[in-house]
Amino acid sequence: MREGKGKQGNKAQETRRRIIEAAGALFVEQGYGATKLQEIADRAGVAVQTIYFVFRNKSSLLKELVDVAIAGDDEPVPTMDRPWFAKVMTAPAAESALAALVAGTRGTLERVAAIDEMVRAATATNPEIRELWPDQSDPRYTVISTAAKSLTEKPGARPDIPADEAADITYAVLSPELFLLLTRDRAWPPAKWEQWAYRTLSSQLLVTNGL
């Protein structure tokens, strides 16, 4: 009996994953407004009624897509409780903290940058999307500013750069917009972006550039 329930649960989780992946691809390719649920169902290989059953509606599917893209999975674990962020906070020096922050952010941006751009465009024509995230604070800035404050308190950080300025600099360099500009529009491999972002932030935030 338990084995049957386990298989059923795995099947449901796999169906959910396929729907989210299909929605992500189509929303980015066509735009949120232009994409029909039937198209998502066809790409995911499910009935459109399944999407309604699992996600209720299109906007709820969008929110789930964004949440999974940011986290990298569907586990209810906030970014600042993730292992990669723990490496930033527990790093013994500013140099290693910055390396962990840039590497962890790269992983997130590879999943979410294009989706973030799509959501911004969709919000302009679908104001109800704003209601999916009622909290007006920017969660990305919250993560970055927490990391920056920790970094500025570690050995190797420039003493003349206050935490709020370090946060603003880091927030700009590690932005989804700049990531897409270089990796998509200028065809930089993500590894090259990571190296550039680390060098750029090192020159701004560390006593030495870490090269």
Side-chain angles (χ1 to χ4, degrees):
M1 181 71 69
R2 290 181 179 177
E3 183 180 357
K5 288 184 178 179
K7 289 181 179 179
Q8 186 176 15
N10 291 339
K11 184 178 179 180
Q13 188 174 23
E14 173 62 19
T15 297
R16 189 182 191 90
R17 182 193 63 78
R18 291 205 317 272
I19 294 170
I20 290 172
E21 287 185 356
L26 287 167
F27 286 162
V28 170
E29 290 170 13
Q30 303 179 166
Y32 172 80
T35 300
K36 305 294 188 291
L37 286 181
Q38 185 62 60
E39 294 176 295
I40 296 172
D42 292 343
R43 182 169 292 200
V46 301
V48 70
Q49 290 84 357
T50 301
I51 298 179
Y52 285 114
F53 177 77
V54 176
F55 296 101
R56 299 195 313 279
N57 54 48
K58 188 176 174 182
S59 59
S60 294
L61 173 55
L62 175 65
K63 186 175 191 308
E64 183 76 7
L65 165 65
V66 172
D67 291 346
V68 169
I70 292 172
D73 55 48
D74 56 3
E75 296 297 323
V77 180
T79 297
M80 289 192 290
D81 291 335
R82 296 274 168 173
W84 76 263
F85 193 80
K87 290 182 180 179
V88 179
M89 302 300 287
T90 60
E95 181 179 346
S96 52
L98 180 60
L101 176 60
V102 174
T105 301
R106 169 190 165 184
T108 300
L109 290 176
E110 285 186 276
R111 297 188 302 269
V112 82
I115 293 172
D116 179 78
E117 182 182 59
M118 174 271 295
V119 170
R120 288 174 183 271
T123 302
T125 54
N126 300 269
E128 69 276 6
I129 292 177
R130 295 191 190 98
E131 300 175 6
L132 299 176
W133 294 277
D135 185 358
Q136 295 301 308
S137 64
D138 184 343
R140 189 172 75 84
Y141 187 80
T142 300
V143 171
I144 291 293
S145 61
T146 301
K149 183 178 186 300
S150 175
L151 186 150
T152 58
E153 296 170 351
K154 297 179 186 293
R158 281 179 54 178
D160 59 323
I161 303 294
D164 58 346
E165 184 176 341
D168 290 346
I169 292 169
T170 307
Y171 183 75
V173 173
L174 302 184
S175 68
E177 296 86 352
L178 192 50
F179 179 82
L180 286 177
L181 176 67
L182 294 175
T183 61
R184 183 188 64 190
D185 300 349
R186 302 308 308 158
W188 281 23
K192 180 178 180 179
W193 173 89
E194 183 178 340
Q195 294 167 359
W196 168 82
Y198 177 77
R199 289 196 305 267
T200 301
L201 289 171
S202 292
S203 68
Q204 294 292 312
L205 304 179
L206 305 185
V207 173
T208 60
N209 62 17
L211 298 179

